[in-house]
Amino acid sequence: MSNLQPNTHLQGGKYRIVRFISSGGFGCTYEAEHVMLRKRLAIKEFFVKDFCNRDEETGSISVGTQSKTALVERLMRKFIDEAVALSQMHHPHIVQVSDVFMENGSAYYVMDYIDGCSLDEMVKRCGRLPEHEALAYIRQAAEALDYVHSQNRLHLDIKPGNIMVDASGQAILIDFGVSKQYDSVEGENTSTLLGKTPGYAPIEQMGNSVQQFTPATDIYALGATLYKLLSGNTPPESTVIINDGIPELDDMISQQTRDAVYKSMEFRRSDRPQAIKDFLALLSNEAVEEKGNARVDNSNNTNTKTLKEVSTLDIDEATIILGEEEQTSQSEEDALRGICNGHEWVDLGLSVKWATCNVGANNPEDFGDYFAWGETSVKDMYSVETYKFAEKRFIGWHYRNDFKNFGDTISGLKLYDVANAQWGKPWRTPTREEFEELLEKCTWTWVSQRHHQGYQITGPNGTQIFMPAAGKCQNSIVPSDVGKSAVYWSATDVKNDSQFAYGLDFGCGFHSSILWYSRFYGFSVRPVTE
C-alpha cells in the first residue's frame, strides 16, 4: 500500500482523507475534510516512493534501507521548511497553506482545496486554448511567479499540471515541492533535489547546474507552458531544441505572442527575459485577433523554427552541461515507442499501439480518472441515478431505467469515447477484440512498480506496458479494491442488453478476463491508437 486509504484520520481526527489525488516529487496529495468545520481541503504528505515503505495496518512510513535514512530525513526537513515558507506567502494566485504537522513517521501540510482542473487537464479535454484565454492564465501565473521571485525563491517546476484553474476562472500556482531559496547576489539555493519535467526544464536544469538557476529558469518554463496552451503539444526537450529548434506556433497566433514564447525559451539564459516584468513586457499591447477565440483540436505541427543560430560554443557548453555526447542513432526499442498528441504509445507487436498511461494519469503508475461508459468527464457519483444515458420511465406500477443504445461500439466517437474526447484523434478506447488480443498474445506478470500494484504486460516483440490495479467506482465516488484489482472499459456494448458494456477485469490471484458490467460504473480507460 503506497497511499493513505479513504477515511484515514490525521492529527487526532481533525482531518479525514477523502481520496488520493496524485503523487510526484517527494509527496502524495489527497483530498481531505476538516471534520469539525466540514471544509474541503488538500493535504500533501511527504513520501519518497523509491525509498519509503508504508505499514498496511497502521499507515506509518519507514525508510526501506538504512543507507537512505539520512537522505530521507534531510529531504523531510526540507519538505517542512518549504511548507512553512509557502504558508507565509499570501497571493491570490498562489495556493494557501494553513497547517503543517508530523504524524505516521512523516510530515504533512494542509492547503486550500481548488475546485477546478489544471491547465494540463484543460488542454487534454478541450484541445489548445484560444490565444486570449491562454494569455489570461499565463499573466495570472506570471503575477504569482513575480511574487515568488520577490521572496528570493524559485519555483523550478512550472508546467501546465502545476497551474490550476478554479471555478471562477482564476489561475492558481501549486506544488512548490522542488522550490528553492534563491540569493539574488550569490546565485545559490538551499537544496539539490531538482524538478526536471521534460519539455519545461531549460538546459541548465537538465544538467543539475544548481549555481546557474535564476528567475530566467522559471521564465523558460512559463514560456514553455504558454507554448503548450497555444499548440496543444508538449514542447520538445531543451536538449532537442538546441539543434532542431522548436516547432512553429500556428500563424493564427499573433506575432508578438509567438516572439514572446520563442524569446522565453532561448537556449542561453542571458538571452531570455531576466525578470517577470520583462516577460510581461513582451506580451503587452498584443493584437489578439478574434479568429483565435475558438477551441480547435490538437494537431502535430511538423514545421520547425530555429530559435537562433547555435554556435559551436553553444553546442560545446551543452555537452559540458549534459555530460555526454548527443545520441545520433535510435535503438530498436526506441523505434517501438512514440508520442501522439503529447501522450506516449508502445508498439507491443499487436494490431494497435497501446498508451503507456490511463486517461487522467501523468505516469504509468498513476490510476488516472474514472468514467462511466460513454461519458467523457469525471463526476461526483457513479450510479444509475447519475448516469447520463439512463432514462427512468414509469411502467405499470414500477419504474424502469431505459438505456441509450449505441450499437456495437463507441470506439473513436468523440461524443462518447473519453479517450478520443480528451486526447484527440487518433486516440480511442480499445474494443473488446483488442483486449482479447492483449490477453491472448501477451505475457501478464503481477508486479509492484513504484509501490503501485498491477500487471506488467509483455508483447510478442518484448516491449512492455504497465496497467495499475486502480480499483473501480461502483455506486460510489471512492474507488474500491485499489491495489488489488481493476476494471478497464472497452468500447464494445453488449448487443442484447444496452444496460451493459464489456470491460477487462484483472487482479492479484485471479485470471484476467473480459466481463460485462453496468455502464454507470466508474472504471479506468487505457487508450489505443493505430
Side-chain angles (χ1 to χ4, degrees):
M1 177 179 69
S2 61
N3 305 319
L4 290 174
Q5 297 302 294
N7 295 318
T8 299
H9 284 77
L10 297 172
Q11 208 180 22
K14 183 177 181 179
Y15 304 109
R16 180 180 68 86
I17 298 297
V18 175
R19 66 184 179 95
F20 170 78
I21 297 177
S22 65
S23 63
F26 46 87
C28 298
T29 305
Y30 304 87
E31 179 185 346
E33 177 189 44
H34 189 297
V35 175
M36 293 294 292
L37 299 179
R38 296 183 180 179
K39 180 181 179 181
R40 292 173 81 187
L41 299 164
I43 291 182
K44 188 161 186 177
E45 174 190 51
F46 174 80
F47 187 90
V48 185
K49 291 192 294 183
D50 292 336
F51 304 147
C52 294
N53 298 319
R54 191 190 303 277
D55 186 282
E56 293 188 3
E57 295 183 0
T58 66
S60 296
I61 292 172
S62 61
V63 182
T65 60
Q66 187 66 31
S67 63
K68 300 297 183 183
T69 299
L71 172 61
V72 171
E73 290 178 350
R74 181 166 60 88
L75 293 178
M76 185 160 65
R77 287 195 300 270
K78 293 183 181 299
F79 178 90
I80 295 171
D81 291 343
E82 303 298 345
V84 172
L86 188 54
S87 71
Q88 297 169 353
M89 292 189 185
H90 302 283
H91 191 277
H93 298 298
I94 296 177
V95 65
Q96 183 64 53
V97 168
S98 58
D99 196 4
V100 183
F101 60 94
M102 297 189 68
E103 194 169 334
N104 295 329
S106 185
Y108 301 82
Y109 63 83
V110 183
M111 304 172 283
D112 292 341
Y113 181 86
I114 302 172
D115 189 7
C117 68
S118 69
L119 289 177
D120 187 58
E121 294 169 325
M122 187 179 293
V123 172
K124 286 179 181 178
R125 294 176 183 178
C126 305
R128 64 192 190 189
L129 306 187
E131 183 175 356
H132 75 284
E133 186 177 347
L135 289 175
Y137 294 140
I138 289 297
R139 284 197 180 93
Q140 292 172 357
E143 291 173 8
L145 203 51
D146 188 42
Y147 174 83
V148 172
H149 292 171
S150 73
Q151 306 300 304
N152 289 333
R153 301 192 72 84
L154 301 174
H155 187 283
L156 296 180
D157 199 19
I158 299 295
K159 57 185 177 182
N162 282 343
I163 301 174
M164 298 289 292
V165 178
D166 65 15
S168 65
Q170 297 298 299
I172 310 292
L173 194 58
I174 65 170
D175 204 344
F176 284 69
V178 294
S179 66
K180 302 290 176 292
Q181 183 72 33
Y182 172 73
D183 187 320
S184 59
V185 177
E186 297 296 333
E188 300 288 345
N189 47 57
T190 62
S191 68
T192 58
L193 189 61
L194 310 178
K196 301 180 187 178
T197 303
Y200 303 97
I203 195 69
E204 67 269 19
Q205 203 168 354
M206 296 297 289
N208 290 354
S209 302
V210 179
Q211 290 75 18
Q212 298 185 36
F213 294 175
T214 70
T217 304
D218 278 341
I219 289 171
Y220 180 101
L222 192 62
T225 298
L226 179 55
Y227 178 92
K228 174 64 177 279
L229 302 187
L230 295 172
S231 69
N233 300 317
T234 301
E237 293 188 28
S238 53
T239 52
V240 175
I241 291 177
I242 294 172
N243 293 318
D244 297 342
I246 185 171
E248 283 189 354
L249 290 168
D250 197 302
D251 58 10
M252 294 177 63
I253 299 166
S254 68
Q255 186 63 52
Q256 188 166 11
T257 296
R258 283 183 281 163
D259 288 344
V261 171
Y262 301 145
K263 187 69 174 176
S264 301
M265 296 180 68
E266 286 279 9
F267 168 68
R268 288 180 180 273
R269 288 169 309 156
S270 59
D271 291 335
R272 302 173 210 151
Q274 298 300 295
I276 291 295
K277 63 180 179 63
D278 302 323
F279 171 80
L280 290 172
L282 295 176
L283 297 176
S284 65
N285 301 318
E286 74 290 337
V288 179
E289 301 183 27
E290 289 299 318
K291 64 183 179 180
N293 289 348
R295 293 188 187 276
V296 295
D297 289 338
N298 291 345
S299 62
N300 290 321
N301 216 335
T302 56
N303 296 325
T304 60
K305 176 181 179 67
T306 303
L307 289 176
K308 61 177 288 184
E309 291 297 322
V310 182
S311 67
T312 302
L313 177 60
D314 291 337
I315 296 174
D316 289 342
E317 288 178 351
T319 302
I320 294 171
I321 292 172
L322 295 173
E324 59 182 11
E325 295 293 333
E326 181 184 2
Q327 299 298 312
T328 59
S329 62
Q330 186 180 46
S331 68
E332 292 181 5
E333 183 177 351
D334 289 340
L336 297 175
R337 297 178 179 271
I339 302 290
C340 180
N341 295 347
H343 303 282
E344 185 180 20
W345 53 259
V346 173
D347 185 352
L348 295 171
L350 305 175
S351 62
V352 293
K353 298 165 184 172
W354 286 82
T356 59
C357 296
N358 294 345
V359 175
N362 293 320
N363 62 62
E365 297 81 23
D366 285 350
F367 299 146
D369 295 324
Y370 303 86
F371 303 92
W373 195 85
E375 295 185 355
T376 59
S377 59
V378 297
K379 55 187 183 180
D380 293 335
M381 176 61 68
Y382 295 89
S383 65
V384 67
E385 289 78 14
T386 64
Y387 187 51
K388 183 177 180 180
F389 302 112
E391 182 179 357
K392 183 174 289 188
R393 297 181 183 274
F394 188 73
I395 307 296
W397 297 99
H398 65 280
Y399 284 99
R400 185 184 76 187
N401 286 300
D402 287 345
F403 291 80
K404 177 180 174 63
N405 192 333
F406 288 89
D408 292 340
T409 182
I410 58 172
S411 189
L413 301 179
K414 188 171 185 177
L415 290 178
Y416 310 115
D417 183 341
V418 62
N420 186 270
Q422 293 202 15
W423 288 17
K425 293 181 179 179
W427 289 108
R428 57 181 178 81
T429 299
T431 64
R432 176 187 178 183
E433 292 73 21
E434 287 160 348
F435 269 135
E436 289 174 342
E437 181 185 40
L438 193 70
L439 284 174
E440 294 170 1
K441 296 185 178 181
C442 297
T443 301
W444 291 59
T445 306
W446 186 263
V447 299
S448 175
Q449 183 164 310
R450 293 183 180 271
H451 303 286
H452 282 202
Q453 305 295 313
Y455 270 108
Q456 182 184 76
I457 304 170
T458 305
N461 60 9
T463 57
Q464 298 174 332
I465 59 172
F466 177 76
M467 295 182 76
K472 52 258 189 189
C473 296
Q474 296 174 297
N475 294 309
S476 171
I477 185 177
V478 179
S480 61
D481 296 328
V482 171
K484 299 178 181 178
S485 64
V487 180
Y488 283 71
W489 278 126
S490 83
T492 305
D493 204 347
V494 175
K495 290 183 179 180
N496 298 327
D497 195 333
S498 60
Q499 178 182 345
F500 303 101
Y502 290 102
L504 170 68
D505 187 317
F506 68 72
C508 180
F510 64 87
H511 184 66
S512 304
S513 57
I514 309 294
L515 302 174
W516 47 266
Y517 296 89
S518 296
R519 295 183 347 198
F520 54 80
Y521 290 156
F523 294 155
S524 302
V525 175
R526 177 61 64 93
V528 296
T529 186
E530 303 300 332

